């Protein structure tokens, strides 16, 4: 597989992406879902980092993600720069059932914004969202009601959408969607709630990142130009992304 | 993360004795109960080493070897001269008889019998008196063991070892009988309760791998023979054959015992009976962050192994990991330990695994799993340098395409390859690792790279490197020479090839290589960890205040330096955790907080009046000795900044506190100083507080030249009490008709901020103090180094340049002081803190003023008049500002070279040399391997062939004549 990838110097653009986040939030599971559409209930903790690749088609372009899945435990922290150096994208993962994992995610974002490549595209992913959903209704293959929910959360009344906002399963939830969304907007991050288990939101992350990546820059292979990162105002971009997300769900076919 | 650790600075190179203990896997600090100390007068266990020739007491089994015999009570150890061919570590309690042998004149030989009747003969080749001394010490040490009752413990303990069953079942019952006749002491003791041999989950859930393919039966046979002749578990003698048998892979059932014997963890288990179970009792109901981390990973440890899909496996793993983390809280739990523990628990009992884990984390992989993981980083650096040396082409190529070796190699080392290779192969590397030590990890790593050399030269990025490695590991079971016409060559697997290359071509990598490489890079690693920690500590501050990042970094440095000098008390982990509220993020490790003592040192780094600077002039040099000042004001500052009232300060508290004073203007400074002394924060100073505040002034101004400051302070007091009194509601005292102060107590609200401000501003000196000097006395630049190098380069000057190291400095200073005193040139001045006034007056007058007596005398009333009087008579010499605005300790010394901590950065130039096994001749070497005698016959022979493949020349270090003599000794009879 290496040969195929490195041998053909076609239109594909390489994008280095790093996954960061507290231990056991599901980083490796997210990658596994994206790369081979699988889920393993008991994945071994990542030691150091794992490396995987996956192609992703976006309009006329092919992106080749080089994914670095890092170890989550605090003491591995000092190794992280080795993996995020030169990364063009990062997915910072937290676990929606664990409030502290969002704190850790925030500190990763802070570190990336200060230490990493200035043009890095960062996505925040609240994983394990399957644990806080009513299982039979939402696992039924349609992520679309979820996306609508996202778009106008405020207007959805409990009466109209009893399945999505039912009270009991939410009891496991420790990070309200709104809180994370608000933080992501403020920090200029893409934001998704995901489930590596059901596959919800996984492909979307990578698609949206692909759209946001300044591909011309990578092609020109010149880094720098700090001016571009000034557009990190967040709010406006976030909206655009949310709209696009609905239309291009299966942009990634690999 | 707000944990700051100075642990890395505490590293000490191991002493020669420690290295010897490590070499023989002897546990640190052998337990010597107090009662034994009394009995034997001296508490010190006498250790001794002596030249010796070792022979096995059974004719013709092994050659004799020259080496050294060590008495390291309660152990007797031997190593052949080459330090690898032959060695043993015998607990003295397994020795049942020692006899002096009747031999040729001039030959001094001892015969030792173990509890199971194995006889070894050591010929002591040192001079006669040395040999005599050794014998008497040995006798003493044996007696101690006997009295401790350790001799009796042996039999019970060995029942837990699989090998005992192995050797007795195959008809070595004469050993049993024989030992009965030898052991007289244990006859009276009741036989220990029947304990089954210790084993792991594998006994129940099967061992990984196909036993046929692994040739278990043949291996067991070979081992049984070996163990019969060479002792086993506690008494194992390691001859070359032992190492070779390990290299072809240990049989599953014997693995537990051999791992613990080879690694030496068996001695820990032997000398700490019941400790594991005690630890389990201790941790019952406890919780800790380590436990939480462990819980997360329990189901994520070798999940494909049946034992870890069952409750037995999971609970065993939990207990072992928790027990270890509790025993060594410094390490606690690190991901990857779960994989190691899960792996060894397949073969070992919990207790065995617990002790092996201790040996692993403490001795074999030092610092690998610590919170900084410095050991891991260090060994990665060492590995990198070894690659550069042994495989320069690969190293160059990696550098060219910017590929980092450790993206692949770090997990290899951290999980002993268990995470990288199919388990059956990884376990064989683990076998060798326990037998031959940490160098194995490096040898295997180098061999992996060498074997893949050609392909590695093609890779372009980290990803390509990892993919290549993944493919290679997946193919380890394949034939190394699939195309070969020779069936024997075809039978060699890539894994066998890997081991052969590891141990043959990289045999040059020795323990010493690793040790010296580690020494070389340690400082580099420590520095980079520390600067990383600094950056993240600064980044994680909730607020920088008005400081820049660099300034905050400087505050961090000062804090760090202070912590090195006065380490804060160990953070009582559970308490602060309980105190923090849930939303504060209790996942966060305990924050590092410093106590008052550390704070003093910290403050002396950045605050001029928090240190005393004595200028010492002795005729040869002029230098400044710095010491930490002690005063109540500093204590006050400490509690003033401790806003959360924890009795300690965090980095954030310090930044916040400094922010509150360093950016102040005149009015803010006055208010700050006022608040600092307003203990109950009611907006009023009491009379006592006014006095304390005056003392604070005197403290700050203690080294100022002239009387101006003294005058200002006394004027301040006079005015303060005057204004204070005048503002009190006037009440006329009936008897005297006076109004005022006696109406209110010394601890009643007295002076408010407005009045204080007015009093301060009434004085020019105080005003200028609050205007600029106070803020300026906090300095965030490095305090310049203390020496003004001798201006005149007399002989002391030359001497100085030769010996200028941190350690020597003190001695040198003392020397030059002494010399200075004898020639009457020794002089000490205190450096002014503010230094606005430059006229020299006699220092003694000032000294007395800050002495407690002058302050404690009632200052209210009469005595303040005297002070005021002295003020009026003294002359104020205020220098022109133009001269002074840059003034202050740092600029005064700007000319003095500031030399930061000496850097020990290793010079990489040492790696220019290239060794013979460069990648260039990889092809030829591969061909050599097919010459190995690999006969395609099944059963034992095949294993033996593999064993032979590892044959190395073993130098017994003996001449023919010596060998003859050693043989004679086998038949010698004991001396009457
Ligand atoms: N229910 C649920 N469980 C998940 C999900 N994603 C991961 N998990 C589980 O969470 C655990 C941890 O997943 P990993 O993917 O190994 O987590 P990680 O972040 O890579 O962990 P480290 O490598 O230790 O940093 C595993 O037991 C997964 O099965 C999810 O979306 N839903
Ligand atoms: Mg992982």
């Amino acid at each position: 597989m290496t040969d195929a990838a490195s041998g053909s110097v076609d239109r594909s653009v390489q994008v280095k992406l790093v996954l960061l986040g507290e231990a056991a939030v599901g980083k490796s599971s997210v990658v596994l879902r994206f790369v081979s559409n699988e889920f393993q209930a008991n994945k071994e903790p990542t030691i150091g980092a794992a490396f995987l690749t996956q192609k992703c088609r976006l309009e006329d372009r092919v992106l080749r993600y080089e994914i670095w899945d890092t170890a989550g435990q605090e003491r591995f922290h000092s190794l992280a720069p080795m993996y995020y150096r030169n990364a063009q994208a990062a997915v910072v993962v937290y676990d929606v059932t664990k409030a502290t994992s969002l704190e850790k995610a925030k500190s990763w974002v802070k570190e990336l914004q200060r230490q990493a490549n200035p043009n890095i595209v960062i996505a925040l992913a609240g994983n394990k969202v399957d644990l806080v959903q009513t299982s039979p209704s939402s696992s039924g293959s349609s992520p679309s009601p979820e996306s609508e929910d996202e778009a106008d959360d405020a207007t959805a009344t409990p009466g109209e959408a009893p399945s999505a906002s039912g009270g009991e399963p939410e009891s496991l939830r420790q990070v309200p969607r709104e809180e994370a969304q608000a933080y992501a907007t403020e920090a200029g991050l893409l934001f998704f709630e995901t489930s590596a288990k059901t596959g919800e939101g996984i492909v979307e992350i990578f698609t949206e990142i692909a759209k946001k990546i300044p591909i011309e820059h990578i092609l020109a292979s010149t880094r720098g130009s700090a001016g571009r990162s000034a557009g990190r105002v967040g709010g406006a971009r976030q909206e655009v992304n949310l709209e696009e997300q609905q239309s291009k769900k299966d942009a990634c076919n690999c | 993360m707000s944990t700051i650790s100075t642990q890395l600075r505490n590293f000490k190179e191991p002493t020669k004795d420690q290295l010897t203990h490590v070499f023989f896997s002897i546990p640190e600090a052998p337990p010597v109960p107090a009662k034994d100390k009394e009995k034997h007068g001296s508490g010190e266990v006498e250790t001794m080493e002596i030249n010796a020739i070792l022979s096995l007491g059974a004719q013709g089994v092994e050659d004799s070897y020259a080496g050294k015999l060590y008495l390291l009570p309660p152990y007797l150890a031997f190593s052949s001269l080459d330090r690898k061919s032959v060695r043993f570590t015998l607990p003295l309690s397994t020795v049942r008889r020692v006899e002096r042998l009747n031999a040729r004149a001039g030959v001094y030989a001892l015969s030792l019998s173990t509890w199971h009747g194995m006889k070894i003969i050591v010929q002591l080749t040192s001079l006669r008196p040395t040999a005599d001394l050794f014998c008497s010490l040995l006798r003493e040490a044996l007696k101690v063991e006997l009295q401790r009752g350790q001799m009796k413990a042996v039999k019970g303990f060995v029942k837990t070892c699989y090998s005992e069953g192995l050797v007795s079942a195959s008809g070595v019952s004469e050993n049993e009988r024989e030992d009965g006749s030898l052991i007289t002491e244990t006859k009276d003791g009741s036989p220990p309760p029947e304990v089954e041999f210790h084993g792991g989950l594998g006994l129940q859930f099967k061992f990984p791998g196909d036993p046929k393919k692994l040739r278990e039966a043949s291996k067991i046979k070979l081992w049984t023979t070996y163990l019969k002749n060479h002792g086993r578990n506690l008494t194992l003698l390691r001859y070359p054959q032992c190492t070779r048998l390990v290299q072809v892979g240990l049989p599953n059932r014997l693995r537990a015992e051999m791992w613990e014997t080879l690694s030496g963890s068996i001695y820990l288990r032997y000398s700490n009976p019941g400790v594991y179970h005690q630890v389990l009792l201790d941790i019952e109901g406890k919780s800790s962050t380590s436990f939480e981390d462990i819980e997360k990973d329990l189901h994520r440890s070798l999940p494909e192994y049946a034992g870890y899909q069952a409750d037995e496996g999971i609970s065993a793993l939990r207990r072992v990991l928790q027990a270890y983390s509790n025993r060594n809280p410094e390490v606690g739990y690190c991901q990857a330990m779960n994989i190691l523990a899960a792996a060894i628990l397949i073969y070992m009992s919990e207790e065995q695994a617990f002790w092996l884990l201790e040996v692993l984390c403490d001795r074999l992989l030092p610092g690998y799993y610590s919170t900084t993981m410095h050991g891991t980083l260090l060994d990665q650096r060492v590995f990198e340098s070894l690659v550069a040396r042994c495989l320069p082409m690969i190293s160059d190529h990696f550098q060219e395409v910017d590929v980092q070796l450790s993206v692949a190699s770090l997990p290899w080392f951290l999980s002993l390859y268990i995470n990288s290779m199919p388990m059956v192969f990884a376990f064989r590397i683990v076998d060798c690792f326990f037998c031959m030590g940490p160098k194995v990890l490096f040898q295997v790593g180098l061999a992996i790279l060498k074997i893949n050399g050609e392909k590695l030269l093609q890779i372009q990025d980290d990803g390509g490197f990892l993919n290549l490695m993944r493919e290679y590991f997946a193919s380890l079971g394949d034939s190394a020479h699939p195309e070969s016409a020779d069936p024997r060559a075809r039978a060699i697997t890539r894994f066998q090839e890997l081991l052969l290359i590891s141990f043959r071509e990289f045999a040059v990598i020795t323990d010493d290589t690793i040790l010296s490489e580690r020494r070389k890079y340690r400082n580099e690693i420590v520095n980079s960890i520390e600067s990383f920690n600094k950056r993240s500590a600064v980044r994680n501050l909730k607020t920088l205040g008005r400081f820049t990042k660099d300034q905050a970094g400087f505050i961090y440095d000062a804090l760090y330096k202070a912590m090195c000098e006065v380490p804060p008390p160990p953070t009582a982990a559970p308490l602060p955790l309980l105190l923090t509220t849930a939303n504060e993020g209790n996942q966060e490790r305990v924050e590092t907080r410093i106590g008052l003592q550390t704070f003093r040192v910290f403050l002396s780094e950045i605050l001029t009046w928090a240190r005393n600077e004595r200028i010492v002039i002795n005729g040869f040099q002029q230098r400044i000795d710095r010491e930490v000042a002690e005063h109540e004001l500093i204590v006050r500052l400490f509690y003033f900044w401790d806003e959360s009232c924890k009795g300690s300060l965090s980095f954030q508290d310090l930044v916040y506190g400094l922010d509150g004073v360093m950016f102040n203007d005149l009015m803010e400074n006055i208010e700050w100083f006022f608040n600092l002394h307003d203990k109950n924060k009611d907006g009023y100073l009491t009379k006592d507080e006014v006095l304390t505040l005056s003392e604070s002034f005197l403290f700050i101004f203690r080294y100022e030249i002239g009387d101006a400051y003294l005058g200002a302070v006394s004027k301040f007091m006079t005015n303060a009490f005057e204004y204070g009194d005048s503002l009190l509601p006037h009440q006329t005292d009936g008897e005297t008709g006076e109004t005022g102060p006696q109406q209110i107590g010394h601890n009643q609200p007295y002076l408010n901020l407005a009045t204080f401000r007015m009093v301060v501003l009434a004085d020019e000196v105080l005003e200028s103090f609050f205007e600029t000097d106070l803020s300026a006395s906090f300095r965030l630049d490095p305090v310049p180094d203390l020496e003004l190098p001798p201006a005149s380069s007399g002989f002391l000057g030359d001497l100085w340049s030769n010996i200028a190291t941190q350690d020597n400095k003190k001695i040198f200073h003392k020397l030059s002081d002494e010399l200075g005193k004898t020639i009457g040139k020794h002089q000490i001045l205190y450096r002014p803190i503010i230094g606005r006034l430059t006229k020299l007056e006699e220092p003694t007058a000032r000294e007395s003023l800050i002495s407690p007596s002058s302050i404690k005398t009632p200052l209210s009333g009469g005595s303040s008049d005297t002070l005021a009087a002295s003020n009026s008579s003294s002359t104020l010499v205020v220098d022109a500002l133009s001269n002074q605005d840059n003034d202050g300790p740092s600029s005064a010394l700007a000319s003095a070279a500031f030399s930061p901590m000496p850097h020990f950065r290793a010079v990489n130039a040492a790696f220019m040399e290239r060794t013979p096994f460069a990648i260039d001749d990889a092809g030829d070497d591969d061909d050599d391997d097919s010459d190995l005698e690999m006969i395609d016959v099944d059963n034992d022979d095949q294993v033996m062939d593999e064993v032979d493949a590892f044959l190395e020349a073993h130098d017994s270090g003996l001449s023919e004549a010596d060998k003859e003599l050693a043989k004679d000794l086998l038949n010698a009879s004991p001396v009457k």
Side-chain angles (χ1 to χ4, degrees), chain A residues 76-98:
Chain A
F76 286 83
H77 188 139
S78 63
L79 306 176
M82 177 159 84
Y83 305 112
Y84 67 61
R85 67 184 187 133
N86 304 334
Q88 287 112 359
V91 178
V92 179
V93 186
Y94 70 94
D95 175 349
V96 293
T97 67
K98 210 152 162 286

Side-chain angles (χ1 to χ4, degrees), chain B residues 96-97 114-117 155 173-188:
Chain B
R96 285 293 173 274
R97 182 182 292 180
T114 64
W115 69 269
H116 51 71
K155 276 207 138 181
S173 40
E174 84 258 17
N175 256 344
E176 295 288 338
R177 257 179 278 123
E178 201 180 344
D179 86 54
S181 60
L182 280 167
I183 309 160
T184 44
E185 317 78 86
T186 53
K187 278 250 171 84
D188 46 300

Side-chain angles (χ1 to χ4, degrees), chain B residues 24-25 87 89 157 161 163 227 231-238 242 254-267 269 348 352 356 363 434-435:
Chain B
F24 289 113
S25 318
R87 68 200 234 196
T89 305
F157 181 82
C161 300
S163 60
L227 299 173
R232 59 249 176 199
N233 50 68
L234 292 175
T235 56
L236 182 75
L237 310 180
R238 290 159 71 171
C242 173
L254 203 53
R255 224 168 213 151
E257 177 186 328
M258 288 310 293
W259 280 356
E260 62 173 351
T261 304
L262 296 170
S263 73
S265 74
I266 197 169
Y267 307 119
R269 181 164 74 90
M348 304 183 112
Q352 287 175 313
L356 186 62
R363 176 154 57 74
F434 285 130
C435 181

Side-chain angles (χ1 to χ4, degrees), chain A residues 19-43:
Chain A
L19 274 103
L20 299 165
E22 198 178 87
V25 293
K27 296 179 294 297
S28 305
S29 304
V30 165
V31 182
L32 190 67
R33 171 62 75 188
F34 176 57
V35 171
S36 35
N37 201 19
E38 286 175 39
F39 178 75
Q40 286 173 13
N42 294 311
K43 253 199 112 356

Side-chain angles (χ1 to χ4, degrees), chain B residues 92-396:
Chain B
L92 288 171
S93 47
T94 62
V95 176
R96 285 293 173 274
R97 182 182 292 180
V98 179
E99 291 162 324
R100 170 89 193 277
L101 290 181
N102 210 349
R104 290 185 215 165
V107 173
Y108 199 120
L110 298 178
S111 153
L112 291 94
S113 309
T114 64
W115 69 269
H116 51 71
M118 179 176 67
K119 232 186 217 169
I120 49 183
I121 291 163
V122 285
Q123 189 187 328
L124 306 181
T125 51
S126 293
L127 291 175
R128 180 66 185 259
T130 320
D132 277 335
L133 176 62
F134 188 88
C135 285
S136 74
L137 289 179
L138 177 62
R139 194 179 304 123
E140 276 304 299
L142 281 166
K143 224 191 265 167
V144 170
E145 284 308 284
L146 190 63
Q147 277 157 352
R148 283 173 61 206
Q150 279 299 100
M151 305 266 177
K152 291 177 200 162
V154 176
K155 276 207 138 181
F157 181 82
V158 297
K159 288 228 167 66
T160 64
C161 300
Y162 180 69
S163 60
E164 294 303 325
L166 209 55
V167 291
S168 63
S170 31
V172 199
S173 40
E174 84 258 17
N175 256 344
E176 295 288 338
R177 257 179 278 123
E178 201 180 344
D179 86 54
S181 60
L182 280 167
I183 309 160
T184 44
E185 317 78 86
T186 53
K187 278 250 171 84
D188 46 300
S190 54
E194 204 64 33
V195 196
E196 278 211 324
F197 74 89
H198 281 212
L201 293 163
L203 295 175
Q204 188 184 342
F205 296 96
K206 293 226 186 79
F207 295 103
D210 172 3
K212 270 238 186 66
K213 250 186 165 169
L214 294 172
R215 290 170 302 193
E216 285 290 301
S218 311
K219 287 178 182 172
I220 284 281
K221 245 196 213 163
L222 287 168
W223 273 107
T224 309
T225 316
Y226 185 87
L227 299 173
K228 267 188 210 162
N229 293 324
H230 302 82
R232 59 249 176 199
N233 50 68
L234 292 175
T235 56
L236 182 75
L237 310 180
R238 290 159 71 171
Y239 276 90
Q241 176 79 348
C242 173
T243 308
R244 267 178 257 144
L245 285 173
V246 171
Q247 283 169 330
V248 300
L250 286 163
N252 289 326
R253 291 201 152 202
L254 203 53
R255 224 168 213 151
E257 177 186 328
M258 288 310 293
W259 280 356
E260 62 173 351
T261 304
L262 296 170
S263 73
S265 74
I266 197 169
Y267 307 119
L268 280 170
R269 181 164 74 90
Y270 175 59
S271 53
N272 294 284
V275 166
Y276 174 64
H277 294 282
Q278 188 52 48
V279 175
L280 288 185
L281 292 178
D282 292 347
I283 60 178
E284 222 161 87
K286 261 198 183 176
S287 68
S288 76
T289 42
S290 291
F291 286 13
E292 280 169 39
D293 287 353
I294 290 168
E295 214 57 35
K296 273 186 208 161
D297 289 348
L298 287 177
H299 291 274
R300 309 166 71 202
S301 317
L302 308 186
E304 68 278 14
Y305 180 68
Y308 298 112
Q309 291 154 11
D311 198 41
E312 287 105 312
I314 297 293
S315 356
L317 187 59
R318 177 186 291 115
R319 282 190 293 266
V320 167
L321 287 173
Q322 287 189 345
Y324 179 76
S325 83
N326 190 67
R327 185 172 168 86
N328 188 350
E330 193 115 311
V331 169
Y333 168 73
C334 176
Q335 288 188 323
M337 279 166 66
N338 63 324
I339 293 176
L340 291 192
I344 61 181
L345 275 170
I346 294 177
Y347 299 96
M348 304 183 112
S349 71
E350 285 175 46
E351 190 183 359
Q352 287 175 313
F354 172 75
W355 293 113
L356 186 62
L357 209 54
E358 176 153 322
V359 167
L360 264 172
C361 300
D362 294 0
R363 176 154 57 74
L364 295 173
L365 304 173
Y368 267 46
Y369 306 109
S370 73
T371 45
T372 53
M373 298 184 73
H374 61 272
T376 303
L377 297 172
L378 179 57
D379 275 5
Q380 286 306 300
R381 186 69 190 83
V382 169
F383 185 54
E384 218 170 81
S385 97
L386 293 178
V387 172
R389 208 155 79 179
C390 304
L391 306 165
M393 280 176 72
I394 295 179
S395 172
D396 291 348

Side-chain angles (χ1 to χ4, degrees), chain A residues 65-132:
Chain A
Y65 275 119
E66 305 212 306
I67 303 170
W68 289 90
D69 166 28
T70 64
Q73 203 189 7
E74 181 61 46
R75 63 187 75 183
F76 286 83
H77 188 139
S78 63
L79 306 176
M82 177 159 84
Y83 305 112
Y84 67 61
R85 67 184 187 133
N86 304 334
Q88 287 112 359
V91 178
V92 179
V93 186
Y94 70 94
D95 175 349
V96 293
T97 67
K98 210 152 162 286
T100 54
S101 69
L102 179 64
E103 293 312 307
K104 184 68 204 169
K106 287 181 183 173
S107 92
W108 277 120
V109 170
K110 213 167 157 185
E111 176 164 344
L112 285 172
Q113 289 180 338
R114 295 204 192 166
Q115 309 281 120
N117 174 358
N119 290 316
I120 194 166
V121 176
I122 307 175
L124 181 68
N127 192 38
K128 303 197 188 176
V129 72
D130 58 286
L131 294 175
V132 299

